[in-house]
Amino acid sequence: MSNPPGSPIEHSTTNRISFITANYVARQIGFNMTEGWGQGDRATNEYFRPIETFAERFGKLLDDIRAMGFEAIDLWNAHLHWAWATEEHIASARDLLARHGLRVLSLAGGFGATPDELDRACKLAVAMDAPLLAGSTTLLSKDRAATVAILKQHGVRLAIENHPGEKTPADVLRQIGDGGDGMLGTAVDTGWWGTQGYDAAKAIEELWSHILCVHLKDVLAAGAHETCRFGRGVVPIEACVRTLQHMGYQGSYGIEHEPDHYDPSEDCRAVLQMLRGWLA
């Protein structure tokens, strides 16, 4: 599964656009997230965890995503977490996804700090037919060999997403290192490159041979992380897409927009059409 230096990761034959369900981080608190990401994460986990109400609540989530026109999702941990998902949760989620005609392209979020936690995340990914974990695990820095071994055991790749700790692509490349026999790559988060004041299109060029998926996100200004509709912020979203097209990218584009104080659904519906136009 390894790739020679400088060669692109093998992607699917068609581009796919997904809705990253973390876009609704503030939904369960009335889109009034006053205490940061952790507040929304906790509220979402608490809302979706009870099995008695899971099917109804997860089904409503999928209803709304499908109504926007999406055919795929990146499933955020808080909506179905490897730490609490039972076989019943998983069976219900799979059934609802099939009914809605939605495919899971990756699990999104954090994947623990221990071998057992990463193993559980990988097992959930396999159960959801998702080939990628898009996010991070602190196990990678503590025990790289164990991380790679667990990923290989399950046939699931880890796409390391750039977040506050990654100031330049070099920081991501250090974590990927030798690629872990093809099991390690990156999930490019264009919004966080914008927050860091780094040209996201340039980052794509520098990370090209390791890109496993792309999270398209715009932010209003460098130095902060307030997401917005494409074209209203500082991230050159269309230039990022054109760069990927020029380089022959065949993987997925996740639409990511996680405002603290309003429902992003209409923005996501609009940028889905925008992105489809660019790809056409």
Side-chain angles (χ1 to χ4, degrees):
M1 297 180 69
S2 61
N3 293 271
S7 68
I9 296 291
E10 291 182 6
H11 297 288
S12 61
T13 56
T14 57
N15 289 311
R16 293 168 295 178
I17 304 174
S18 61
F19 180 90
I20 299 174
T21 69
N23 293 337
Y24 284 148
V25 60
R27 184 173 181 169
Q28 306 318 142
I29 47 177
F31 293 105
N32 185 30
M33 196 163 68
T34 58
E35 301 171 24
W37 185 273
Q39 180 188 17
D41 181 273
R42 288 189 298 274
T44 307
N45 272 286
E46 290 168 3
Y47 185 78
F48 282 90
R49 182 171 184 166
I51 189 59
E52 297 81 9
T53 53
F54 178 78
E56 177 187 356
R57 294 173 176 183
F58 195 73
K60 179 63 168 66
L61 172 72
L62 301 185
D63 282 341
D64 294 343
I65 293 169
R66 201 67 177 89
M68 284 182 274
F70 288 90
E71 298 177 359
I73 63 170
D74 295 278
L75 184 56
W76 179 42
N77 282 343
H79 289 123
L80 184 66
H81 206 298
W82 46 264
W84 51 253
T86 65
E87 290 185 5
E88 191 174 352
H89 283 100
I90 293 167
S92 179
R94 286 179 58 90
D95 177 62
L96 288 163
L97 286 159
R99 288 193 209 175
H100 286 79
L102 285 165
R103 181 179 177 187
V104 179
L105 301 187
S106 75
L107 302 189
F111 307 109
T114 68
D116 177 66
E117 289 172 336
L118 179 59
D119 184 70
R120 292 173 73 180
C122 286
K123 286 178 178 175
L124 179 59
V126 171
M128 302 309 295
D129 298 322
L132 288 176
L133 301 178
S136 64
T137 169
T138 56
L139 184 64
L140 182 61
S141 61
K142 295 187 294 185
D143 192 336
R144 183 182 180 87
T147 301
V148 171
I150 293 166
L151 294 169
K152 290 177 74 172
Q153 176 186 349
H154 295 287
V156 175
R157 286 175 162 180
L158 173 64
I160 300 164
E161 188 172 12
N162 55 294
H163 271 164
E166 290 74 39
K167 307 296 184 184
T168 71
D171 294 326
V172 177
L173 291 170
R174 275 193 290 273
Q175 295 177 61
I176 296 171
D178 63 3
D181 288 336
M183 305 312 297
L184 302 174
T186 185
V188 172
D189 185 322
T190 61
W192 273 107
W193 290 128
T195 293
Q196 303 292 8
Y198 201 93
D199 184 333
K202 184 171 183 283
I204 286 167
E205 292 178 346
E206 295 178 50
L207 294 165
W208 166 246
S209 62
H210 302 284
I211 296 174
L212 296 176
C213 60
V214 175
H215 293 178
L216 290 177
K217 182 198 297 180
D218 204 350
V219 294
L220 288 176
H225 201 68
E226 186 175 351
T227 67
C228 60
R229 185 182 291 204
F230 294 174
R232 296 181 179 175
V234 298
V235 179
I237 297 290
E238 184 174 0
C240 291
V241 173
R242 299 303 182 200
T243 297
L244 288 159
Q245 287 178 308
H246 176 72
M247 301 183 86
Y249 181 65
Q250 296 291 310
S252 64
Y253 295 85
I255 288 176
E256 189 166 10
H257 179 21
E258 310 133 337
D260 293 358
H261 299 294
Y262 64 91
D263 185 343
S265 298
E266 285 308 310
D267 281 351
C268 290
R269 186 195 302 270
V271 301
L272 172 61
Q273 300 308 316
M274 192 182 302
L275 179 55
R276 282 177 172 164
W278 292 337
L279 296 176

